[in-house]
Amino acid sequence: MAKPTEFWDQQIVSRERHEQGWLARLPVRLYVNESISRQQPSLWPIDWLRQRRGNKVWRRGLSIGCGDGSLERALIKTNLSERLDALDGSMGSLATATRAAREEGLADRIHYFAADFNTLHLPRSTYDVVFCNQSLHHVAALEYLMVQIRRALTEGGTLYIDEYIGPSRDAWSEQRIAAQRAIYASLPREWRLTEELAYPVEEADPSEAVRSEEILRVLQTSFDVEERRDYGGTLLALLVPMIDWTRAPETLVDDLIAREREMLAAGAESYYTIVLGRPRSGLRGLISDWRQRLDALMSEAQGVSYRRGG
């Protein structure tokens, strides 16, 4: 089995992951934008964040899991942050991000470096904002990382996460996927890439969704949640990549969006969310650190190895 960093190096070269992802179709992207902003489909998450902050600028930020660097470039261009440090475990991703920043004249405002999410050591009281964009679900040492982020933020700082919080890779069951499988099976066979909808587990990447369903619980030990905007993916993230869009009609996208809205309204859990958190400080912060250490020991006792993260 390939190491997580090797898997992501391969993906950044092929771009296959982005092309086949559930957000690749415009109606889905607009649905997500509307779910987050609660205003209009054309308002992207970064635009929503800028509006929410009243166009205030963070002095210095950190991005954990920067990938190809598109988020950091957008943050600088929209003047949300003056400077950014950004890290990733994939050297291929970092090379792409660094090259793009240089080509767009942003190299002097973004500093990229390599680091392991699970053993990351951050300087204290350094960053006004920390961004985790689809990176925390690759982290096994969630408790450790949350302590590092809390301590690295300045007083009154902000943690921004945009994450998959659905079932962890080992938590899928027939019951948890039954509704999605039934909808998939109801589609004409020629529209489906496979006979049956498989568990959405990326076998080539052992860090994928390693503890995804625990992210919010661990986060809330160290942070007070100021804002949470769920945006589904409960049905769409599973089905959209498994449709043969050369044969299926484009109207199917709208049908699937409607079905997901029905599922969420009926009480189904959202698999994706954006959360803004404020770090606990003083005595509350120290207590949260001790709780995280205790929880980490319990997780290790239950067999969660920090070496599994990316």
Side-chain angles (χ1 to χ4, degrees), residues 183-194 243-244 248-249 252:
I183 294 174
Y184 188 66
S186 71
L187 302 177
R189 180 62 184 88
E190 62 269 22
W191 296 0
R192 293 180 275 137
L193 294 177
T194 57
I243 302 296
D244 184 347
L252 177 60

Side-chain angles (χ1 to χ4, degrees), residues 48-60:
W48 164 76
L49 180 61
R50 186 177 66 250
Q51 287 189 7
R52 190 184 184 281
R53 282 191 47 79
N55 294 321
K56 295 179 182 178
V57 181
W58 280 298
R59 181 185 58 85
R60 185 177 181 185

